[in-house]
Amino acid sequence: MPSHPWDFNEEAPAPEEERRTLLREGEEKAQRFFSGFIDFAFSGNILEIAFGLILATAFTAVTTSLVSDILLPPLSVVLPLRRNMNEKFAVLRPGPNYDEDGYNTLEQAQSDGAIVLAYGYGEPRAHLPNSDL
């Protein structure tokens, strides 16, 4: 028997027998891996997490629709807002054509080259002239 794995082993099996042994061992490992994965995938905790994610997605869609379609329209009428809640913005630096009345729409401010912070419905975003933020 060799003392190191890199030493020549005269008792080594024939190449064909070694190939079959390696294939059989690989097949057994693949079957064990697949059966372990199936056991993991169908365990109770994973199914509960998947069900929770589906419910969370549905709840998010319902909440978004409730806020944007039912709550925001009456709020924009009741409160003294001159524009839709979706178009709320603050002018950080006015553009060259800014007058004392300000800008009526977000698009008007952006086209004038003003730097604005849009904080209406949706995610807050900053607009810098000639940029894609």
Side-chain angles (χ1 to χ4, degrees):
M1 175 147 241
S3 60
H4 300 289
W6 55 83
D7 289 342
F8 181 71
N9 185 1
E10 293 182 13
E11 300 170 5
E16 184 63 29
E17 182 182 335
E18 184 178 359
R19 186 173 75 71
R20 286 188 184 139
T21 304
L22 288 174
L23 285 174
R24 187 174 347 108
E25 289 174 1
E27 184 178 326
E28 289 171 1
K29 286 182 181 180
Q31 287 176 348
R32 279 195 313 254
F33 174 78
F34 186 70
S35 66
F37 176 75
I38 293 296
D39 292 341
F40 169 74
F42 289 111
S43 68
N45 292 339
I46 298 300
L47 292 177
E48 290 172 6
I49 290 171
F51 185 69
L53 288 174
I54 291 169
L55 284 178
T57 303
F59 183 74
T60 301
V62 168
T63 304
T64 301
S65 176
L66 174 74
V67 169
S68 66
D69 298 335
I70 295 174
L71 294 178
L72 285 182
L75 266 176
S76 65
V77 170
V78 171
L79 298 175
L81 301 173
R82 294 200 176 121
R83 57 186 159 274
N84 191 352
M85 291 290 284
N86 293 347
E87 295 231 352
K88 295 292 288 176
F89 65 95
V91 177
L92 301 177
R93 185 182 311 154
N97 299 324
Y98 184 80
D99 59 3
E100 55 201 44
D101 292 333
Y103 299 111
N104 293 325
T105 64
L106 179 61
E107 289 80 22
Q108 183 183 19
Q110 289 173 342
S111 66
D112 189 32
I115 298 176
V116 296
L117 175 65
Y119 60 90
Y121 179 71
E123 61 185 57
R125 62 189 189 278
H127 174 76
L128 303 173
N130 301 326
S131 73
D132 293 327
L133 286 181

